[in-house]
Amino acid sequence: EPAPTGTAAPTITAPPTGTSPAGPAPVSQLGGPETFARQVAQALFGWDTTNGYGPADYAQVIVDVAAGEEADALAGDVRAYLPGAEAWAQLRQHQTRQWLSIQEMFVPEAWETATSQAAPGQIPEGAVAYTIEGTRHRDGTWGTEPVEASRPIVFTVFIVCAPVVTNRGITGTHCELLRLSQLDNPLR
């Protein structure tokens, strides 16, 4: 269940258990903006070098939910978050997995200021930014010893959502990812 916007109890997402997972999980575009932003964050930081998939596979599930006009720029944003092929090969030797625990998620004041000062049409209708504060966790092996590391991170996701309208009326929300801030350089 998504936590309400603002300070909330931490969301702990454990790494996959058992044998290697099937691969990168798709991000659902339904469920509302906060749920979507949370899923994007988990997809961005949740990967496993032992399952035969590479950084391009993990990037693709995020780019698949991009807003059309922003897809190329977003692909560059995502590449900046994921290890490159050479680093991935080294991490694979250490059976490295990564996941994210979200401590706080909020609409930053700077976004509210930007939307109030934007010219008509400058920011798409339904656009919102969420700054996400959390902890990036990694585990793996060094030689034969299990090792773990974690560090605090913060970043902002920019998304746009629109109601899903059917012949029965509004049935939900469909979201797309616009851009990502630089890691540890969020909108405040």
PDB file of all heavy atoms in Angstrom, residues 131-161:
ATOM      1  N   THR A 131       9.661  14.142  -4.893  1.00  0.00           N
ATOM      2  CA  THR A 131      11.015  13.928  -4.406  1.00  0.00           C
ATOM      3  C   THR A 131      10.974  12.732  -3.467  1.00  0.00           C
ATOM      4  O   THR A 131      10.095  12.639  -2.606  1.00  0.00           O
ATOM      5  CB  THR A 131      11.556  15.186  -3.711  1.00  0.00           C
ATOM      6  OG1 THR A 131      11.684  16.218  -4.710  1.00  0.00           O
ATOM      7  CG2 THR A 131      12.909  14.939  -3.067  1.00  0.00           C
ATOM      8  N   ILE A 132      11.908  11.826  -3.694  1.00  0.00           N
ATOM      9  CA  ILE A 132      11.940  10.568  -2.955  1.00  0.00           C
ATOM     10  C   ILE A 132      13.250  10.490  -2.185  1.00  0.00           C
ATOM     11  O   ILE A 132      14.330  10.627  -2.768  1.00  0.00           O
ATOM     12  CB  ILE A 132      11.798   9.368  -3.916  1.00  0.00           C
ATOM     13  CG1 ILE A 132      10.440   9.464  -4.633  1.00  0.00           C
ATOM     14  CG2 ILE A 132      11.970   8.049  -3.182  1.00  0.00           C
ATOM     15  CD1 ILE A 132      10.258   8.507  -5.765  1.00  0.00           C
ATOM     16  N   GLU A 133      13.130  10.311  -0.875  1.00  0.00           N
ATOM     17  CA  GLU A 133      14.287  10.115  -0.009  1.00  0.00           C
ATOM     18  C   GLU A 133      14.269   8.677   0.464  1.00  0.00           C
ATOM     19  O   GLU A 133      13.225   8.177   0.896  1.00  0.00           O
ATOM     20  CB  GLU A 133      14.226  11.063   1.193  1.00  0.00           C
ATOM     21  CG  GLU A 133      14.298  12.523   0.794  1.00  0.00           C
ATOM     22  CD  GLU A 133      14.164  13.471   1.977  1.00  0.00           C
ATOM     23  OE1 GLU A 133      13.896  13.010   3.116  1.00  0.00           O
ATOM     24  OE2 GLU A 133      14.307  14.680   1.748  1.00  0.00           O
ATOM     25  N   GLY A 134      15.400   8.011   0.358  1.00  0.00           N
ATOM     26  CA  GLY A 134      15.446   6.619   0.762  1.00  0.00           C
ATOM     27  C   GLY A 134      16.855   6.138   0.994  1.00  0.00           C
ATOM     28  O   GLY A 134      17.801   6.924   1.081  1.00  0.00           O
ATOM     29  N   THR A 135      16.982   4.826   1.068  1.00  0.00           N
ATOM     30  CA  THR A 135      18.273   4.179   1.256  1.00  0.00           C
ATOM     31  C   THR A 135      18.465   3.146   0.166  1.00  0.00           C
ATOM     32  O   THR A 135      17.603   2.296  -0.052  1.00  0.00           O
ATOM     33  CB  THR A 135      18.352   3.490   2.640  1.00  0.00           C
ATOM     34  OG1 THR A 135      18.097   4.473   3.653  1.00  0.00           O
ATOM     35  CG2 THR A 135      19.713   2.866   2.863  1.00  0.00           C
ATOM     36  N   ARG A 136      19.588   3.261  -0.531  1.00  0.00           N
ATOM     37  CA  ARG A 136      19.960   2.263  -1.542  1.00  0.00           C
ATOM     38  C   ARG A 136      20.754   1.175  -0.837  1.00  0.00           C
ATOM     39  O   ARG A 136      21.739   1.452  -0.161  1.00  0.00           O
ATOM     40  CB  ARG A 136      20.823   2.911  -2.624  1.00  0.00           C
ATOM     41  CG  ARG A 136      21.202   1.911  -3.716  1.00  0.00           C
ATOM     42  CD  ARG A 136      22.281   2.440  -4.602  1.00  0.00           C
ATOM     43  NE  ARG A 136      23.548   2.393  -3.857  1.00  0.00           N
ATOM     44  CZ  ARG A 136      24.668   2.961  -4.275  1.00  0.00           C
ATOM     45  NH1 ARG A 136      24.693   3.643  -5.391  1.00  0.00           N
ATOM     46  NH2 ARG A 136      25.764   2.865  -3.560  1.00  0.00           N
ATOM     47  N   HIS A 137      20.304  -0.066  -0.981  1.00  0.00           N
ATOM     48  CA  HIS A 137      20.967  -1.212  -0.366  1.00  0.00           C
ATOM     49  C   HIS A 137      21.602  -2.073  -1.452  1.00  0.00           C
ATOM     50  O   HIS A 137      21.015  -2.248  -2.520  1.00  0.00           O
ATOM     51  CB  HIS A 137      19.955  -2.088   0.386  1.00  0.00           C
ATOM     52  CG  HIS A 137      19.171  -1.354   1.407  1.00  0.00           C
ATOM     53  ND1 HIS A 137      19.631  -1.143   2.690  1.00  0.00           N
ATOM     54  CD2 HIS A 137      17.956  -0.765   1.344  1.00  0.00           C
ATOM     55  CE1 HIS A 137      18.715  -0.466   3.375  1.00  0.00           C
ATOM     56  NE2 HIS A 137      17.694  -0.227   2.582  1.00  0.00           N
ATOM     57  N   ARG A 138      22.758  -2.617  -1.157  1.00  0.00           N
ATOM     58  CA  ARG A 138      23.401  -3.590  -2.033  1.00  0.00           C
ATOM     59  C   ARG A 138      23.917  -4.743  -1.191  1.00  0.00           C
ATOM     60  O   ARG A 138      24.361  -4.539  -0.061  1.00  0.00           O
ATOM     61  CB  ARG A 138      24.586  -2.984  -2.793  1.00  0.00           C
ATOM     62  CG  ARG A 138      24.190  -2.086  -3.919  1.00  0.00           C
ATOM     63  CD  ARG A 138      25.395  -1.672  -4.746  1.00  0.00           C
ATOM     64  NE  ARG A 138      24.966  -0.812  -5.833  1.00  0.00           N
ATOM     65  CZ  ARG A 138      25.790  -0.184  -6.647  1.00  0.00           C
ATOM     66  NH1 ARG A 138      27.103  -0.342  -6.505  1.00  0.00           N
ATOM     67  NH2 ARG A 138      25.322   0.586  -7.616  1.00  0.00           N
ATOM     68  N   ASP A 139      23.856  -5.936  -1.776  1.00  0.00           N
ATOM     69  CA  ASP A 139      24.538  -7.062  -1.153  1.00  0.00           C
ATOM     70  C   ASP A 139      25.171  -7.909  -2.242  1.00  0.00           C
ATOM     71  O   ASP A 139      24.874  -7.761  -3.421  1.00  0.00           O
ATOM     72  CB  ASP A 139      23.622  -7.868  -0.226  1.00  0.00           C
ATOM     73  CG  ASP A 139      22.544  -8.667  -0.939  1.00  0.00           C
ATOM     74  OD1 ASP A 139      22.550  -8.782  -2.179  1.00  0.00           O
ATOM     75  OD2 ASP A 139      21.668  -9.202  -0.243  1.00  0.00           O
ATOM     76  N   GLY A 140      26.083  -8.748  -1.827  1.00  0.00           N
ATOM     77  CA  GLY A 140      26.802  -9.610  -2.753  1.00  0.00           C
ATOM     78  C   GLY A 140      27.849 -10.394  -1.986  1.00  0.00           C
ATOM     79  O   GLY A 140      27.706 -10.634  -0.786  1.00  0.00           O
ATOM     80  N   THR A 141      28.898 -10.772  -2.686  1.00  0.00           N
ATOM     81  CA  THR A 141      29.982 -11.511  -2.037  1.00  0.00           C
ATOM     82  C   THR A 141      31.315 -10.874  -2.387  1.00  0.00           C
ATOM     83  O   THR A 141      31.498 -10.305  -3.466  1.00  0.00           O
ATOM     84  CB  THR A 141      30.014 -12.986  -2.488  1.00  0.00           C
ATOM     85  OG1 THR A 141      30.174 -13.030  -3.901  1.00  0.00           O
ATOM     86  CG2 THR A 141      28.753 -13.723  -2.088  1.00  0.00           C
ATOM     87  N   TRP A 142      32.247 -10.990  -1.463  1.00  0.00           N
ATOM     88  CA  TRP A 142      33.634 -10.577  -1.688  1.00  0.00           C
ATOM     89  C   TRP A 142      34.455 -11.801  -1.368  1.00  0.00           C
ATOM     90  O   TRP A 142      34.545 -12.200  -0.204  1.00  0.00           O
ATOM     91  CB  TRP A 142      34.001  -9.397  -0.802  1.00  0.00           C
ATOM     92  CG  TRP A 142      35.358  -8.862  -1.120  1.00  0.00           C
ATOM     93  CD1 TRP A 142      36.508  -9.083  -0.429  1.00  0.00           C
ATOM     94  CD2 TRP A 142      35.717  -8.038  -2.226  1.00  0.00           C
ATOM     95  NE1 TRP A 142      37.561  -8.447  -1.012  1.00  0.00           N
ATOM     96  CE2 TRP A 142      37.099  -7.786  -2.143  1.00  0.00           C
ATOM     97  CE3 TRP A 142      35.012  -7.475  -3.284  1.00  0.00           C
ATOM     98  CZ2 TRP A 142      37.785  -7.006  -3.068  1.00  0.00           C
ATOM     99  CZ3 TRP A 142      35.698  -6.700  -4.202  1.00  0.00           C
ATOM    100  CH2 TRP A 142      37.066  -6.480  -4.074  1.00  0.00           C
ATOM    101  N   GLY A 143      34.976 -12.442  -2.406  1.00  0.00           N
ATOM    102  CA  GLY A 143      35.604 -13.742  -2.213  1.00  0.00           C
ATOM    103  C   GLY A 143      34.492 -14.735  -1.888  1.00  0.00           C
ATOM    104  O   GLY A 143      33.616 -14.976  -2.694  1.00  0.00           O
ATOM    105  N   THR A 144      34.519 -15.237  -0.668  1.00  0.00           N
ATOM    106  CA  THR A 144      33.455 -16.149  -0.234  1.00  0.00           C
ATOM    107  C   THR A 144      32.603 -15.540   0.874  1.00  0.00           C
ATOM    108  O   THR A 144      31.687 -16.183   1.363  1.00  0.00           O
ATOM    109  CB  THR A 144      34.056 -17.471   0.270  1.00  0.00           C
ATOM    110  OG1 THR A 144      34.936 -17.186   1.361  1.00  0.00           O
ATOM    111  CG2 THR A 144      34.793 -18.200  -0.841  1.00  0.00           C
ATOM    112  N   GLU A 145      32.914 -14.288   1.230  1.00  0.00           N
ATOM    113  CA  GLU A 145      32.215 -13.637   2.343  1.00  0.00           C
ATOM    114  C   GLU A 145      31.043 -12.787   1.836  1.00  0.00           C
ATOM    115  O   GLU A 145      31.201 -12.002   0.902  1.00  0.00           O
ATOM    116  CB  GLU A 145      33.174 -12.726   3.109  1.00  0.00           C
ATOM    117  CG  GLU A 145      34.302 -13.461   3.788  1.00  0.00           C
ATOM    118  CD  GLU A 145      33.804 -14.387   4.882  1.00  0.00           C
ATOM    119  OE1 GLU A 145      32.934 -13.984   5.674  1.00  0.00           O
ATOM    120  OE2 GLU A 145      34.278 -15.546   4.926  1.00  0.00           O
ATOM    121  N   PRO A 146      29.873 -12.907   2.473  1.00  0.00           N
ATOM    122  CA  PRO A 146      28.765 -12.012   2.127  1.00  0.00           C
ATOM    123  C   PRO A 146      29.092 -10.586   2.578  1.00  0.00           C
ATOM    124  O   PRO A 146      29.678 -10.393   3.651  1.00  0.00           O
ATOM    125  CB  PRO A 146      27.574 -12.570   2.898  1.00  0.00           C
ATOM    126  CG  PRO A 146      28.081 -13.667   3.749  1.00  0.00           C
ATOM    127  CD  PRO A 146      29.519 -13.896   3.465  1.00  0.00           C
ATOM    128  N   VAL A 147      28.739  -9.629   1.749  1.00  0.00           N
ATOM    129  CA  VAL A 147      28.958  -8.221   2.078  1.00  0.00           C
ATOM    130  C   VAL A 147      27.677  -7.445   1.807  1.00  0.00           C
ATOM    131  O   VAL A 147      26.874  -7.828   0.965  1.00  0.00           O
ATOM    132  CB  VAL A 147      30.131  -7.604   1.285  1.00  0.00           C
ATOM    133  CG1 VAL A 147      31.452  -8.194   1.700  1.00  0.00           C
ATOM    134  CG2 VAL A 147      29.925  -7.750  -0.206  1.00  0.00           C
ATOM    135  N   GLU A 148      27.509  -6.348   2.539  1.00  0.00           N
ATOM    136  CA  GLU A 148      26.359  -5.471   2.383  1.00  0.00           C
ATOM    137  C   GLU A 148      26.834  -4.034   2.464  1.00  0.00           C
ATOM    138  O   GLU A 148      27.793  -3.730   3.164  1.00  0.00           O
ATOM    139  CB  GLU A 148      25.325  -5.713   3.481  1.00  0.00           C
ATOM    140  CG  GLU A 148      24.698  -7.079   3.459  1.00  0.00           C
ATOM    141  CD  GLU A 148      23.691  -7.260   4.590  1.00  0.00           C
ATOM    142  OE1 GLU A 148      23.329  -6.261   5.247  1.00  0.00           O
ATOM    143  OE2 GLU A 148      23.283  -8.402   4.819  1.00  0.00           O
ATOM    144  N   ALA A 149      26.116  -3.164   1.773  1.00  0.00           N
ATOM    145  CA  ALA A 149      26.393  -1.733   1.836  1.00  0.00           C
ATOM    146  C   ALA A 149      25.084  -0.990   1.625  1.00  0.00           C
ATOM    147  O   ALA A 149      24.183  -1.484   0.948  1.00  0.00           O
ATOM    148  CB  ALA A 149      27.402  -1.324   0.766  1.00  0.00           C
ATOM    149  N   SER A 150      24.979   0.174   2.219  1.00  0.00           N
ATOM    150  CA  SER A 150      23.806   1.006   1.992  1.00  0.00           C
ATOM    151  C   SER A 150      24.221   2.458   2.110  1.00  0.00           C
ATOM    152  O   SER A 150      25.230   2.776   2.737  1.00  0.00           O
ATOM    153  CB  SER A 150      22.693   0.669   2.980  1.00  0.00           C
ATOM    154  OG  SER A 150      23.126   0.892   4.293  1.00  0.00           O
ATOM    155  N   ARG A 151      23.433   3.312   1.469  1.00  0.00           N
ATOM    156  CA  ARG A 151      23.687   4.746   1.570  1.00  0.00           C
ATOM    157  C   ARG A 151      22.407   5.512   1.301  1.00  0.00           C
ATOM    158  O   ARG A 151      21.561   5.070   0.515  1.00  0.00           O
ATOM    159  CB  ARG A 151      24.805   5.199   0.653  1.00  0.00           C
ATOM    160  CG  ARG A 151      24.440   5.447  -0.780  1.00  0.00           C
ATOM    161  CD  ARG A 151      25.601   6.167  -1.488  1.00  0.00           C
ATOM    162  NE  ARG A 151      25.289   6.621  -2.813  1.00  0.00           N
ATOM    163  CZ  ARG A 151      24.743   7.790  -3.111  1.00  0.00           C
ATOM    164  NH1 ARG A 151      24.389   8.628  -2.184  1.00  0.00           N
ATOM    165  NH2 ARG A 151      24.529   8.138  -4.375  1.00  0.00           N
ATOM    166  N   PRO A 152      22.246   6.669   1.939  1.00  0.00           N
ATOM    167  CA  PRO A 152      21.052   7.472   1.688  1.00  0.00           C
ATOM    168  C   PRO A 152      21.109   8.074   0.283  1.00  0.00           C
ATOM    169  O   PRO A 152      22.186   8.418  -0.215  1.00  0.00           O
ATOM    170  CB  PRO A 152      21.108   8.567   2.754  1.00  0.00           C
ATOM    171  CG  PRO A 152      22.469   8.526   3.324  1.00  0.00           C
ATOM    172  CD  PRO A 152      23.112   7.243   2.945  1.00  0.00           C
ATOM    173  N   ILE A 153      19.945   8.168  -0.341  1.00  0.00           N
ATOM    174  CA  ILE A 153      19.838   8.789  -1.657  1.00  0.00           C
ATOM    175  C   ILE A 153      18.598   9.675  -1.689  1.00  0.00           C
ATOM    176  O   ILE A 153      17.678   9.506  -0.882  1.00  0.00           O
ATOM    177  CB  ILE A 153      19.760   7.739  -2.787  1.00  0.00           C
ATOM    178  CG1 ILE A 153      18.619   6.755  -2.539  1.00  0.00           C
ATOM    179  CG2 ILE A 153      21.054   6.985  -2.943  1.00  0.00           C
ATOM    180  CD1 ILE A 153      17.820   6.496  -3.746  1.00  0.00           C
ATOM    181  N   VAL A 154      18.582  10.585  -2.634  1.00  0.00           N
ATOM    182  CA  VAL A 154      17.415  11.441  -2.849  1.00  0.00           C
ATOM    183  C   VAL A 154      17.393  11.817  -4.325  1.00  0.00           C
ATOM    184  O   VAL A 154      18.437  12.038  -4.938  1.00  0.00           O
ATOM    185  CB  VAL A 154      17.442  12.678  -1.905  1.00  0.00           C
ATOM    186  CG1 VAL A 154      18.662  13.539  -2.142  1.00  0.00           C
ATOM    187  CG2 VAL A 154      16.154  13.475  -2.018  1.00  0.00           C
ATOM    188  N   PHE A 155      16.200  11.863  -4.897  1.00  0.00           N
ATOM    189  CA  PHE A 155      16.039  12.224  -6.308  1.00  0.00           C
ATOM    190  C   PHE A 155      14.587  12.618  -6.535  1.00  0.00           C
ATOM    191  O   PHE A 155      13.727  12.436  -5.659  1.00  0.00           O
ATOM    192  CB  PHE A 155      16.429  11.062  -7.229  1.00  0.00           C
ATOM    193  CG  PHE A 155      15.622   9.818  -7.028  1.00  0.00           C
ATOM    194  CD1 PHE A 155      14.597   9.487  -7.899  1.00  0.00           C
ATOM    195  CD2 PHE A 155      15.879   8.965  -5.952  1.00  0.00           C
ATOM    196  CE1 PHE A 155      13.839   8.350  -7.701  1.00  0.00           C
ATOM    197  CE2 PHE A 155      15.128   7.818  -5.757  1.00  0.00           C
ATOM    198  CZ  PHE A 155      14.104   7.502  -6.633  1.00  0.00           C
ATOM    199  N   THR A 156      14.304  13.176  -7.701  1.00  0.00           N
ATOM    200  CA  THR A 156      12.945  13.598  -8.044  1.00  0.00           C
ATOM    201  C   THR A 156      12.511  12.933  -9.333  1.00  0.00           C
ATOM    202  O   THR A 156      13.291  12.854 -10.286  1.00  0.00           O
ATOM    203  CB  THR A 156      12.867  15.136  -8.194  1.00  0.00           C
ATOM    204  OG1 THR A 156      13.315  15.742  -6.974  1.00  0.00           O
ATOM    205  CG2 THR A 156      11.455  15.608  -8.501  1.00  0.00           C
ATOM    206  N   VAL A 157      11.276  12.439  -9.342  1.00  0.00           N
ATOM    207  CA  VAL A 157      10.665  11.908 -10.564  1.00  0.00           C
ATOM    208  C   VAL A 157       9.600  12.898 -11.019  1.00  0.00           C
ATOM    209  O   VAL A 157       8.861  13.441 -10.197  1.00  0.00           O
ATOM    210  CB  VAL A 157      10.065  10.501 -10.373  1.00  0.00           C
ATOM    211  CG1 VAL A 157      11.139   9.484 -10.035  1.00  0.00           C
ATOM    212  CG2 VAL A 157       8.986  10.473  -9.340  1.00  0.00           C
ATOM    213  N   PHE A 158       9.566  13.145 -12.315  1.00  0.00           N
ATOM    214  CA  PHE A 158       8.582  14.035 -12.921  1.00  0.00           C
ATOM    215  C   PHE A 158       7.653  13.173 -13.765  1.00  0.00           C
ATOM    216  O   PHE A 158       8.123  12.473 -14.668  1.00  0.00           O
ATOM    217  CB  PHE A 158       9.277  15.083 -13.793  1.00  0.00           C
ATOM    218  CG  PHE A 158      10.229  15.959 -13.021  1.00  0.00           C
ATOM    219  CD1 PHE A 158      11.560  15.583 -12.851  1.00  0.00           C
ATOM    220  CD2 PHE A 158       9.802  17.146 -12.449  1.00  0.00           C
ATOM    221  CE1 PHE A 158      12.447  16.367 -12.132  1.00  0.00           C
ATOM    222  CE2 PHE A 158      10.680  17.940 -11.731  1.00  0.00           C
ATOM    223  CZ  PHE A 158      12.002  17.558 -11.571  1.00  0.00           C
ATOM    224  N   ILE A 159       6.372  13.231 -13.460  1.00  0.00           N
ATOM    225  CA  ILE A 159       5.420  12.363 -14.144  1.00  0.00           C
ATOM    226  C   ILE A 159       4.221  13.177 -14.629  1.00  0.00           C
ATOM    227  O   ILE A 159       4.020  14.323 -14.208  1.00  0.00           O
ATOM    228  CB  ILE A 159       4.947  11.222 -13.226  1.00  0.00           C
ATOM    229  CG1 ILE A 159       4.187  11.756 -12.014  1.00  0.00           C
ATOM    230  CG2 ILE A 159       6.122  10.384 -12.765  1.00  0.00           C
ATOM    231  CD1 ILE A 159       3.614  10.678 -11.108  1.00  0.00           C
ATOM    232  N   VAL A 160       3.448  12.570 -15.493  1.00  0.00           N
ATOM    233  CA  VAL A 160       2.188  13.172 -15.938  1.00  0.00           C
ATOM    234  C   VAL A 160       1.135  12.070 -15.926  1.00  0.00           C
ATOM    235  O   VAL A 160       1.392  10.954 -16.364  1.00  0.00           O
ATOM    236  CB  VAL A 160       2.320  13.851 -17.324  1.00  0.00           C
ATOM    237  CG1 VAL A 160       2.683  12.844 -18.410  1.00  0.00           C
ATOM    238  CG2 VAL A 160       1.063  14.619 -17.679  1.00  0.00           C
ATOM    239  N   CYS A 161      -0.017  12.395 -15.370  1.00  0.00           N
ATOM    240  CA  CYS A 161      -1.104  11.420 -15.263  1.00  0.00           C
ATOM    241  C   CYS A 161      -2.387  12.026 -15.818  1.00  0.00           C
ATOM    242  O   CYS A 161      -2.613  13.235 -15.726  1.00  0.00           O
ATOM    243  CB  CYS A 161      -1.331  11.026 -13.808  1.00  0.00           C
ATOM    244  SG  CYS A 161       0.101  10.222 -13.043  1.00  0.00           S
TER     245      CYS A 161
END
